Amino acid sequence: MRSFLPAYALETPRDLAATLDRLAGEPGEWQPFAGGTDLMVLLEAGKLTHRRFLNIWGLRELLGIREDSDFVTLGALTTYTDILRWPKMQHEFPLLCRAARETGGIATQNRGTLGGNIANASPAADSPPALLAYDAELELVSARGPRWVPYRNFHSGYKKMDLRPDELIARIRLPRRAQGGKQYYRKVGTRKAQAISKVCFAGTAHIEHKRIVDIRIALASVAAFPFRAAKTEAVLRGCDLGEESIHAAQQELAREIAPIDDMRSSARYRLRIAQNLLEDFLTDCSAAH
Amino acid sequence: MPEARGKIRVTCTVNGKAMKFSAFPMERLLDVLREQIGLTGTKEGCGEGECGACSVLLDSKLVNSCLVPAAQVEGAEIRTIEGLATGEQLHAVQECFITHGGAQCGICTPGMILAAVNLLERNPQPAEADIREALAGNLCRCTGYTKIFESVVRACEARSGKS
Amino acid sequence: MPTPVIGTSVRRKEGREKVTGKARYVDDLKFPGMLHGVTVRSSAPRGTIRSIRFAEGIPWQEFTVVTAADIPGKNCVALIVDDQPCLAAGVVNHPEEPVVLLAHADAYLLEEARRAVSIEVEPLPAIFSIEDSLARKQIIWGSDNTFQSIVVEKGDLESAWRKADRIIEGEYFTGSQEQLYIEPQGMVATADRRKGITIWGSLQCPYYIHKSLTALFDLPPEKIRIIQMETGGGFGGKEEYPSMIACHAALLAWKSGKPVKIIYDRAEDMAATTKRHPARIRHRTGVSRDGKLLAMDIEFVLDGGAYETLSPVVLSRGTIHAAGPYECPNVRIRSRAVATNAPPHGAFRGFGAPQSVFALERHFDRVAEELDLTPEEFRRRNFIREGQTLAVDQVVREPVDMTRLMERAFEMSDYHAKRERFTRENRGRNAKKGIGFAAFLHGAGFTGSGEDYLASIVAVEATEEGRVRVLAASVEMGQGTNTIFAQIAADALGIEYDSIEIAQPDTANVPNSGPTVASRTCMVVGKLVESAAVGLKQTLIGSGLLSERYTAAEFAAACRRYIAQRGPLKSTSQYAPPPELHWDAKNYRGDAYGAYAWAVYVAEVSVDLRTFEIAVDDFTAVQEVGKVIHPVLAAGQIEGGVAQGIGLALYENVVWREGRMVNNQMTNYIMPTSMDIPRIRVHFEEIPYPFGPAGAKGIGELPIDGAAPAVINAVAQATGANLPRIPVTPEVLMEALEAMRA
């Protein structure tokens, strides 16, 4: 434990309103602390530069998974275990279940939260590609009120996001979709469990008679933040699924992603695997027809 | 040197006993258990939530205690390895870890046993694939896992009355 | 007399403590007034220390600060040669070299203070590779960077080339590997200027630490006491490095007058302590048309890091194992351990053999391919048999049948059918399967006259309650030392297993039975336990207090009576080499080891050609081990070693940057999880070794020698790739397959 603990504050506000008042009253002074699975690792390593945190772990307003006819809405404090246990999740949002199941081990899944994962903004996070493929929207709340943003517009750079210092991620909502259509998720990590991804790919597609009516492609670990490969989608949308369109899509993907060399993997490997997974996804789609 | 802040007082139960302690708000539950409460059965292996040696049950959920800050333990029910046996009577998982080679050096053992117990509480008759997945967050360097699976399988048999 | 317990899986001696959290590891110790200690390290790979600065804002007067100037005796961690400083003074030779020690009661403030010490080093040019060291780009150690070189020569190599029909060459590389015991290293020290120093720690070799401290403090041996605590894994990583930490804790205790505890966190442990020696191995092999080995020329180079430490011994074992369980009339092995500016590499299970065995078994699959033979046929034609000689001219004196072991392994793994099926079904598939094997041996005990030099001693004493206590310095670290010693003693005395206690290794109480390394604890030390126990029995019988045939109760009564009448009842036994064991250290020839265990391992893998991920789906380990003392413990050793070998083959990649490990976190240094290791099938054969307890040989290191080449041979079979370097990560496999296509 490398940090000088006495210098750190972790205070527990009474409720969400009190939390937002603190954030508004001292902008930039306080950061939210949810399950701690990212922040505590930094603390241990002596690398947690921010010192004042608000404990939001128990805030009732941020808990729970609700549904209505249009959306399934998850509170920001939904853990991966909560995701896996919600009865309809596997049927309606299987990619999110896959992501939750492949995040760390059971202990991490019990404490890691969706809101924390999004706000931590690791380029290698496992759930964001699924959320992006599902057109997730985030509710950001502050003392001034709530606003909804499409998750695909949330990140703008490495650890840069559309979240003001007085705002909290409150809820994540997923539009309910017509059933049918192809869904694909693959996380390629350093080992079969407890791994940070080298490439993470999520895709959904709506195919009619070999024509790609609609398609969503999202990736992590190949750019500064998890993103929707919009250009690659554009190359495919409206096309007939086949060798030619797959190849064109792979080429576009190579231009659209920016994989790096790091201690886990290489840029060449990430590029190649991203292209392979795209091909596998599209081949899966055409196989179903 | 940064300015020092104060400690907080926390109330919780540990292995069924009411506990009150004071700690820095970001102090790790692992350190509170080991240093203040004197329960050294929970171990530190990595300090980054990777090895699972520090696993405890927090409100019946398996967590890495190296990642839980003291401030979030208020009102919680914590179970550590010390709370598993009933007096002299070992839990079936503990007994099987001894007899079937699930424990070698023993450092991963408390966390591994709690993870296994937690699995069996959720799923009394897990398939081997379920056992593997449930224990994937607990690293063992000594056993190569084979005898850990064996120990858990035998514990299931013992609990369900088979021999 | 109770039923003998050797050969049965009795209850682990300290099992209950381990499963209830009651076992006491070093970090569980607390002393009144105890201080925490930390190490401040230089980050430069090489240079001269210009200044050590203590920044403002820390209440330094509250701290105990130790530098090299505070060392009472010799500033070194005494091991073989005394070149490694305990604290750097003047120069540094590797990143993470310790320079300053700090102690304080407040662990958090201590870390603040550690950050506030800056060590300014004026850099000197450094070298980081075997190539640069051999090329003498810089001379960083001795006159030519060479810690040790060895030449083994058998037969007449030069003429053998002329007779060879084919000559096949290959170059192989093995990377570094971190032992990754789940319990990080740590020590607690108390020091009293009159009474001396006591150390409690996580360690494998109490008497190694004892020796280092006597030199560092220039104190007589009786003033130094080393006590082993429950140790959470070692695998060699706690063979020599603990001496460094003990020296540091002792220095802080000496200066402060208080107990001091140093516990490394994982990042420090991984970056600063020893790891497996990286290796480069070159093979040049001459074979006859019909696949017989005629000539083997092997070059074996190890990267030793910045100081000599144990490199000569690792080199020795790696050299002797380099030519494997094969009969070859003409062999030359030229080995060298060289210096680089990395933290010194050290002991890790296998100790040079995993490196040289990987190269050999990978090479022999390729040789077979060149000859149009199956890998198993090539092995079968060359396996050594009783009466023939190994590369160092050691005659094999037991009826070992490697072909039979191989066939058993093939039968258990369904090797032939699978190999045929995989070859057929792999065509055109993106998910390929492969099955491969490795054949190997591992010598137990210290090499050559090493055991003579150790001259290990074990004592067995009776207690007033009529129980028996075994006194040895050999530690329990999970492998089962306590349990097997108790089994051996129980059977030797004909009393209950539960009547035997194992004394905690404490240099004040136990004799020096040597280090817990080199697969010697069962075979060598266990034998001494047996003979010491027999000596105890004979003393009792000789005293007239016990008849030749007795019950357990009578035995206990006789002990009590003896002690009451005559005083302590203790029997010691000291190592004597088996007769006819001769080792010529000068020419590196003769009986290198008292006994070898022999093995054939088979690995089955899946390779995903979309992601290049490799999974081990099944593993079979067949070995001949003399005698299985405890079936569950013995299988546990094999399974654990195989898992570490799979890690070495596929996952465990140390990423170096200028001599420093940069992926020094468990998140980024990848060891296998429960999802990555298949069920491992284990089968033992037994050809009793007459000088081992109940015929047992050593098995601690054996399993890690053969697992990696078996796995890589399987991957090669699945993909056709060459794969001369481990670990074969997906990135490496991808590059290899792309190179093949180009």
Side-chain angles (χ1 to χ4, degrees), chain C residues 12-270:
Chain C
R12 180 184 271 274
K13 270 294 176 194
E14 73 294 337
R16 195 185 170 95
E17 287 78 3
K18 284 174 171 171
V19 300
T20 54
K22 296 227 164 48
R24 305 264 287 157
Y25 301 79
V26 64
D27 196 20
D28 301 330
L29 284 176
K30 254 199 334 227
F31 289 86
M34 187 175 81
L35 306 178
H36 296 278
V38 295
T39 313
V40 186
R41 302 172 182 278
S42 150
S43 56
R46 187 172 176 236
T48 39
I49 301 176
R50 279 280 163 262
S51 68
I52 301 173
R53 271 194 266 266
F54 296 80
E56 304 239 314
I58 304 285
W60 291 112
Q61 71 283 2
E62 293 177 13
F63 284 77
T64 308
V65 181
V66 163
T67 64
D70 293 298
I71 294 172
K74 195 168 175 204
N75 179 10
C76 73
V77 183
L79 195 54
I80 301 174
V81 299
D82 297 343
D83 65 328
Q84 184 178 32
C86 174
L87 289 169
V91 293
V92 290
N93 285 299
H94 64 80
E96 305 302 310
E97 187 154 7
V99 184
V100 178
L101 304 170
L102 304 172
H104 195 285
D106 182 336
Y108 304 124
L109 182 60
L110 188 58
E111 289 297 345
E112 222 28 44
R114 180 166 24 186
R115 276 186 279 275
V117 182
S118 39
I119 299 165
E120 193 194 322
V121 173
E122 190 171 304
L124 285 169
I127 51 173
F128 305 113
S129 68
I130 284 175
E131 283 67 33
D132 284 355
S133 188
L134 288 172
R136 304 180 190 185
K137 279 233 164 98
Q138 296 294 326
I139 301 294
I140 63 165
W141 195 93
S143 59
D144 63 356
N145 293 338
T146 301
F147 295 123
Q148 176 83 286
S149 52
I150 296 171
V151 179
V152 169
E153 277 174 313
K154 178 190 180 190
D156 179 359
L157 200 67
E158 289 314 307
S159 354
W161 296 128
R162 280 178 254 124
K163 296 203 202 92
D165 294 309
R166 300 288 306 279
I167 295 178
I168 300 113
E169 297 189 338
E171 185 179 62
Y172 305 90
F173 299 88
T174 62
S176 196
Q177 187 186 17
E178 159 58 38
Q179 297 88 346
L180 215 64
Y181 28 77
I182 303 291
E183 183 215 10
Q185 302 229 23
M187 292 284 158
V188 172
T190 59
D192 179 301
R193 306 242 166 175
R194 278 179 310 111
K195 297 201 219 133
I197 295 167
T198 305
I199 299 284
W200 293 260
S202 186
L203 55 97
Q204 293 175 227
C205 311
Y207 277 95
Y208 278 9
I209 301 177
H210 189 271
K211 174 182 163 182
S212 315
L213 281 176
T214 54
L216 192 79
F217 283 88
D218 196 15
L219 282 173
E222 61 275 12
K223 290 250 161 98
I224 309 280
R225 181 179 179 187
I226 315 295
I227 302 169
Q228 183 238 355
M229 299 300 291
E230 199 72 74
T231 295
F235 317 113
K238 294 174 181 172
E239 174 174 346
E240 73 270 41
Y241 202 85
S243 298
M244 173 77 77
I245 310 177
C247 286
H248 290 170
L251 285 168
L252 285 170
W254 188 258
K255 190 159 187 184
S256 64
K258 299 224 165 79
V260 172
K261 177 192 269 190
I262 297 180
I263 306 288
Y264 281 10
D265 62 24
R266 183 58 63 180
E268 179 170 26
D269 195 307
M270 292 176 86

Side-chain angles (χ1 to χ4, degrees), chain A residues 1-2 4-5 186 188 190-193 196 198 263-265 268-269 272-273 276 279-280, chain C residues 108 111-112 114-115 265 608 610-611 613 663 667-668 670-671 675-676 730-731 735 738 741:
Chain A
M1 165 47 85
R2 297 260 177 160
F4 185 65
L5 277 193
R186 181 95 187 249
V188 178
T190 48
R191 57 189 172 195
K192 282 204 186 134
I196 299 191
K198 299 178 184 181
M263 67 177 80
R264 276 187 287 278
S265 187
R268 289 197 65 228
Y269 176 82
R272 178 85 184 268
I273 274 42
N276 284 355
E279 184 176 359
D280 289 352
Chain C
Y108 304 124
E111 289 297 345
E112 222 28 44
R114 180 166 24 186
R115 276 186 279 275
D265 62 24
D608 180 338
R610 305 303 286 158
T611 63
E613 289 169 295
N663 59 331
T667 307
N668 290 321
I670 307 302
M671 72 160 262
M675 303 273 281
D676 302 297
E731 290 78 3
E735 304 281 340
E738 284 179 354
R741 261 190 306 202

Side-chain angles (χ1 to χ4, degrees), chain B residues 32-157:
Chain B
V32 170
L33 289 169
R34 290 180 54 80
E35 307 296 324
Q36 291 207 50
I37 300 178
L39 293 171
T40 56
T42 307
K43 306 297 178 193
E44 175 163 359
C46 72
E48 23 168 330
E50 279 294 313
C51 74
C54 68
S55 306
V56 298
L57 296 173
L58 181 68
D59 293 332
S60 303
K61 296 199 174 68
L62 191 75
V63 301
N64 291 321
S65 64
C66 72
L67 300 183
V68 177
Q72 290 184 348
V73 166
E74 177 62 40
E77 270 185 41
I78 298 162
R79 241 167 117 205
T80 70
I81 187 70
E82 290 93 341
L84 196 56
T86 323
E88 283 305 296
Q89 177 71 27
L90 295 176
H91 189 287
V93 172
Q94 288 172 304
E95 179 61 35
C96 290
F97 264 63
I98 299 176
T99 51
H100 294 286
Q104 283 192 29
C105 83
I107 199 75
C108 79
T109 303
M112 191 72 75
I113 287 178
L114 286 175
V117 166
N118 184 241
L119 167 67
L120 297 188
E121 283 170 356
R122 290 181 282 117
N123 179 358
Q125 292 296 320
E128 186 160 313
D130 299 327
I131 300 173
R132 276 175 194 281
E133 193 173 346
L135 301 184
N138 292 77
L139 301 180
C140 175
R141 195 53 158 167
C142 293
T143 65
Y145 305 106
T146 293
K147 294 209 177 327
I148 290 177
F149 303 141
E150 185 66 24
S151 302
V152 177
V153 167
R154 296 298 184 120
C156 293
E157 287 170 4

